[in-house]
Amino acid sequence: MSQSNRVNFGSKLGVILATAGSAVGLGNIWRFPYMAGHNGGAAFMLIYIGCVIFLGIPGMVCEFIIGRHVSANAARSYLTMGKGTPFSIVGYVGILTSIIILGFYSVVAGWCLQYLMASILGHLNGDSTYIVNYFQTFSTNPLKPALWAVLFVLLTHIIVAHGVDKGIEKASKLMMPALFILLIVIIIASCSLPNAMKGIDFLFNPDFSKVDHNVILGALGQAFFSLSLGTGCLCTYASYFNKHIDLLKSATQIALIDTLVAIFAGLMIFPAAFSIGVSPDSGPSLIFITLPRVFLQAFHAIPIIGYVISILFYSLLALAALTSTISIHEIGTAFIHEEMHLSRKGAAWIVTIACCIVAVLCSLSVSSSSGLMIHGKSLLDCCDYITAQVLLPLGGFCTCLMIGWYVPRKVVKDEFTNWGTLRGKLFHVFVFCARYVCPILILMIFLNQFGFI
Ligand code: PHE
């Protein structure tokens, strides 16, 4: 498909919101708090912010350059830009990664739908033990969570099948501001609980003695996952950018929004967790066992407010997840649609079916009786680990190397400065990051993780 007949995002704001919509999702609100909680809180957060600035933003710009320059799906973009080198397969690996991510992501998104339903029906009323049991009973049920996950993939399918301009951009424009406002309301509620200060201390008072190689790799993986980096997702979205989008500025704005939402999520969860007595390292269930208590306890004087906020929160969380799943789905759909000459709808169906299979297997693996475990970890945990902590950083590593060392400097500069219309003051800093800083840091983190340094 040539550049001229590809649809573009309608406006600059649309670009920022749609790409931020991809970045902001369960990665920020569900994954960030439980990773931070598991890895010591403030120290993890600082390393995470370092990864976003030094690896995330340059990595995003690299993906944007590839996507906008070739203006095609991820596989074709890498194939064209990395012709004759091993980089040419990065796009294909990204597409496979995206199917795995969409599979396990939909399971958690499905949990949000269940919690939305339970909020509406008033089923999340009870003490801490009741809430913990509620999550346990629901998530280990073999049928229900799998059905919710499939429903979520189907919802994503409907929007993706309608195309980038009509579906993706509109959904993001409404949802992002609403999510911000609601997060602030819940932060205030959470911080007003007794003993909330302990949670704030946990999030902002770093204790570096707990930092080991797992914490650093965890922060790196979290940064890549949260910024949607390393799957070809940003490259696919950038293929819909027009020539006037300032790539560095957009990457910085998106990273800022994304990081703010993650910090907000931490501020929402940790004060409440400490107040209620839930351990911050409770893992993937953290937000599901903490927040229902906040909604009950903080608003006990006027329960209807807690009831409404709970419904609003789970609706927005599901929507935030949806704008991310749309972008993950789009990676595979754009590829099949453009390369296999199938209609957009047909292409979307193939991705949907593949993702539903992964989602059902991941969902079943959470109920331990299914036997779908690897080394004592559920398939869901394994997919999460392999994608975020291995495949995404690897994708980002190759992308930076390709832009830093292989793609002609003129092409990179033209894209970076919008063909000389921007001053591009930071061009040399960007190239230095892409050539040295990003690849070396990612390599060191990997070598350190696997015991070589
Ligand atoms: N960034 C998304 C989130 O934080 C998840 C995602 C990962 C989206 C990879 C696209 C690609 O929820």
Side-chain angles (χ1 to χ4, degrees):
M1 193 181 273
S2 74
Q3 175 142 13
S4 54
N5 55 27
R6 275 175 78 86
V7 190
N8 275 349
F9 284 130
S11 64
K12 279 189 191 167
L13 182 68
V15 163
I16 299 291
L17 289 181
T19 319
S22 159
V24 173
L26 296 176
N28 312 58
I29 298 169
W30 161 73
R31 201 174 187 278
F32 176 81
Y34 98 70
M35 286 298 285
H38 188 73
N39 291 297
F44 175 89
M45 189 168 85
L46 285 179
I47 301 172
Y48 170 78
I49 293 176
C51 289
V52 169
I53 297 173
F54 295 108
L55 307 174
I57 296 178
M60 288 174 86
V61 176
C62 288
E63 262 202 43
F64 284 165
I65 290 178
I66 298 170
R68 187 170 68 173
H69 186 73
V70 185
S71 199
N73 60 80
R76 168 121 341 252
S77 298
Y78 279 88
L79 216 54
T80 312
M81 291 281 249
K83 215 177 192 157
T85 68
F87 299 129
S88 55
I89 62 159
V90 173
Y92 289 107
V93 178
I95 292 168
L96 264 179
T97 311
S98 70
I99 306 246
I100 305 176
I101 295 185
L102 186 51
F104 83 79
Y105 200 95
S106 305
V107 175
V108 184
W111 295 350
C112 299
L113 290 184
Q114 162 75 25
Y115 271 64
L116 172 60
M117 183 74 118
S119 303
I120 296 172
L121 299 175
H123 287 174
L124 295 174
N125 271 330
D127 58 11
S128 301
T129 324
Y130 168 82
I131 299 290
V132 172
N133 286 341
Y134 183 90
F135 180 79
Q136 207 60 30
T137 317
F138 158 71
S139 64
T140 53
N141 178 311
L143 198 65
K144 244 185 176 180
L147 287 178
W148 282 121
V150 169
L151 179 69
F152 206 89
V153 182
L154 291 177
L155 278 175
T156 310
H157 172 96
I158 294 172
I159 300 188
V160 172
H162 277 87
V164 274
D165 50 346
K166 291 188 213 103
I168 300 174
E169 206 176 327
K170 260 194 202 144
S172 308
K173 269 189 182 161
L174 248 170
M175 188 221 87
M176 294 292 295
L179 182 70
F180 245 88
I181 296 169
L182 197 71
L183 281 179
I184 294 175
V185 173
I186 303 176
I187 290 173
I188 297 172
S190 172
C191 290
S192 68
L193 294 173
N195 282 329
M197 272 319 282
K198 277 194 195 151
I200 297 183
D201 201 50
F202 179 75
L203 193 62
F204 291 112
N205 203 355
D207 172 5
F208 285 101
S209 65
K210 300 221 171 69
V211 174
D212 63 7
H213 52 84
N214 283 321
V215 175
I216 301 177
L217 184 69
L220 172 76
Q222 175 60 27
F224 276 59
F225 187 85
S226 193
L227 295 172
S228 309
L229 197 62
T231 53
C233 170
L234 298 177
C235 162
T236 308
Y237 266 27
S239 71
Y240 307 119
F241 287 6
N242 64 38
K243 289 191 154 119
H244 306 291
I245 302 291
D246 180 340
L247 301 184
L248 177 64
K249 195 166 150 198
S250 308
T252 313
Q253 285 168 338
I254 293 157
L256 191 73
I257 297 177
D258 191 66
T259 308
L260 267 181
V261 176
I263 297 174
F264 278 13
L267 272 174
M268 172 174 86
I269 303 292
F270 292 118
F274 278 87
S275 171
I276 298 161
V278 169
S279 163
D281 65 355
S282 307
S285 61
L286 185 63
I287 69 162
F288 296 99
I289 54 181
T290 308
L291 287 179
R293 289 296 303 159
V294 179
F295 301 138
L296 273 183
Q297 229 164 293
F299 302 104
H300 67 275
I302 321 169
I304 184 75
I305 298 188
Y307 176 79
V308 173
I309 289 197
S310 160
I311 295 175
L312 277 178
F313 175 76
Y314 289 112
S315 325
L316 280 175
L317 188 57
L319 270 178
L322 192 61
T323 52
S324 298
T325 51
I326 291 167
S327 73
I328 312 175
H329 198 295
E330 178 65 21
I331 309 171
T333 303
F335 165 68
I336 298 173
H337 172 49
E338 292 175 11
E339 301 302 320
M340 301 184 179
H341 308 292
L342 264 162
S343 70
R344 214 183 143 76
K345 287 208 165 78
W349 269 119
I350 296 183
V351 176
T352 298
I353 292 168
C355 291
C356 282
I357 295 172
V358 180
V360 169
L361 290 177
C362 282
S363 180
L364 287 177
S365 78
V366 176
S367 54
S368 49
S369 56
S370 67
L372 283 166
M373 307 284 267
I374 303 169
H375 291 302
K377 276 186 159 192
S378 69
L379 194 63
L380 188 136
D381 284 341
C382 293
C383 288
D384 180 339
Y385 181 87
I386 289 283
T387 51
Q389 252 125 288
V390 181
L391 293 171
L392 300 187
L394 211 59
F397 174 75
C398 296
T399 305
C400 291
L401 279 184
M402 181 166 116
I403 289 290
W405 294 91
Y406 182 71
V407 174
R409 192 55 49 86
K410 171 157 172 27
V411 171
V412 177
K413 188 160 190 179
D414 279 348
E415 289 291 342
F416 192 91
T417 60
N418 288 352
W419 295 267
T421 55
L422 299 172
R423 279 180 50 221
K425 268 191 294 182
L426 291 173
F427 180 64
H428 294 292
V429 179
F430 163 70
V431 172
F432 184 76
C433 284
R435 278 177 88 104
Y436 303 105
V437 180
C438 301
I440 293 175
L441 277 179
I442 298 175
L443 195 67
M444 274 169 52
I445 296 173
F446 269 133
L447 290 178
N448 182 295
Q449 174 72 12
F450 300 110
F452 294 110
I453 51 174

